[in-house]
Amino acid sequence: MLVDSHCHYNLDPLFGSWENHWQKAQAAGVTASVVIGTDLTSSKRAIALAEENQRFVATVGFHPNFFKTKEQLAEIAQLETIITNKNVVALGEIGLDYFRLSDSDTDSEIKELQKQAFRIQLELATKHSLPVCIHVRDAQEQAYDDLLEILTAAALGDIPFILHCVSGSSDYIQKALELGAYIGVAGNSTYPKSDAIRAAIALAPADRIVLETDAPYLPPQAYRGQTCEPWMIAETAKNFFLEKHITADQILSNTRAAFLDKIPS
């Protein structure tokens, strides 16, 4: 039994034929999926899919790369119109992404917008007692340092958060774990050059790890160059269980805990 803790059935090319992709995922042992929002449109789609399929649940949120202007911050308020839907189990995917940003004045302004958006959405998570799916990426350490600073100030308390598609230094991972992080393991953990990701995963206790596809992105090594499909989580799981000696039951228990027992059983 596998739960895909992070999948984009609501995005192309999966969205147009999501039923077919879900059937293939079920055949591979997937029993439930968390459909992740990245903006208002995809968040509404996630909810609609969860209303149509009882094995799906939804998250709502704005991906950090959405924010380019100050005016876009106001759009976060629209989440209030959908966040109380019974199928919404988390805020996400939210966070910081400096990967393609420089230190120019324009890019520095975008970084500040991302930080403001992250803080606002964390406040929403606290207000509605919802777990958080976090995206963070940077070629340097700045985004990871900023993320820790914001998370510490947010004081989420008992609200779980998942580091989707985990990356970053061992020091960052250790500090995030101390704050209560769950570690999201995706297909890129199988890539030959992903030693840093595997080192991060190695730091995580057995009860802090969840599996995800991020489909249609990040297919496992055997399928590099192809669209990542939801069924491919079975390939990641097979590799992961051999590497970490963690059972599927443990991962299932972790996923339910990370989403406050709102995963379909």
Side-chain angles (χ1 to χ4, degrees):
M1 293 176 61
L2 296 170
V3 172
D4 190 344
S5 67
H6 193 114
C7 189
H8 296 286
Y9 282 99
N10 50 345
L11 298 181
D12 293 328
L14 302 185
F15 182 59
S17 55
W18 71 265
E19 297 98 331
N20 179 56
H21 288 293
W22 171 239
Q23 289 176 358
K24 292 166 70 175
Q26 287 178 293
V30 180
T31 62
S33 291
V34 183
V35 185
I36 304 291
T38 57
D39 57 20
L40 191 63
T41 297
S42 62
S43 295
K44 288 181 176 179
R45 277 186 182 178
I47 292 171
L49 287 171
E51 289 175 342
E52 189 168 350
N53 184 343
Q54 295 182 349
R55 309 307 299 175
F56 288 171
V57 290
T59 77
V60 299
F62 285 87
H63 190 286
N65 287 337
F66 175 82
F67 299 99
K68 300 292 189 295
T69 67
K70 290 182 180 179
E71 289 72 24
Q72 289 173 316
L73 290 174
E75 297 191 37
I76 298 172
Q78 297 181 67
L79 293 179
E80 289 280 15
T81 65
I82 59 175
I83 199 170
T84 56
N85 184 283
K86 66 179 182 180
N87 295 294
V88 173
V89 299
L91 253 289
E93 118 191 38
I94 67 176
L96 305 174
D97 192 330
Y98 302 169
F99 191 73
R100 291 184 173 87
L101 299 178
S102 67
D103 291 327
S104 70
D105 289 345
T106 299
D107 283 355
S108 294
E109 290 176 6
I110 291 175
K111 290 176 186 178
E112 288 303 315
L113 288 175
Q114 288 190 14
K115 288 192 284 187
Q116 289 181 54
F118 187 40
R119 292 188 188 100
I120 293 168
Q121 291 181 96
L122 286 177
E123 289 173 3
L124 271 179
T126 302
K127 176 180 177 180
H128 294 278
S129 299
L130 287 172
V132 185
C133 299
I134 294 177
H135 170 109
V136 58
R137 189 168 68 141
D138 196 352
Q140 308 299 324
E141 290 299 312
Q142 184 184 356
Y144 301 99
D145 292 341
D146 289 348
L147 188 92
L148 288 174
E149 181 179 342
I150 293 170
L151 279 174
T152 301
L156 294 177
D158 294 332
I159 295 175
F161 65 95
I162 299 168
L163 299 180
H164 152 60
C165 190
V166 68
S167 62
S169 69
S170 295
D171 182 60
Y172 155 75
I173 297 298
Q174 191 60 55
K175 289 176 180 175
L177 287 167
E178 291 169 4
L179 288 174
Y182 285 82
I183 302 298
V185 178
N188 60 343
S189 65
T190 67
Y191 298 172
K193 294 183 179 180
S194 291
D195 289 338
I197 293 174
R198 287 186 286 272
I201 295 168
L203 290 172
D207 63 353
R208 295 285 191 85
I209 295 171
V210 299
L211 291 178
E212 58 184 44
T213 55
D214 199 26
Y217 313 109
L218 300 178
Q221 176 61 27
Y223 304 96
R224 292 284 293 274
Q226 302 179 32
T227 296
C228 182
E229 297 185 55
W231 68 265
M232 292 178 184
I233 195 172
E235 185 75 20
T236 302
K238 179 177 67 176
N239 180 81
F240 181 73
F241 294 149
L242 287 172
E243 293 261 337
K244 287 286 288 187
H245 306 291
I246 298 175
T247 67
D249 284 345
Q250 176 71 70
I251 297 295
L252 182 61
S253 176
N254 297 349
T255 309
R256 287 176 174 157
F259 290 97
L260 297 176
D261 293 321
K262 294 179 181 179
I263 298 296
S265 58

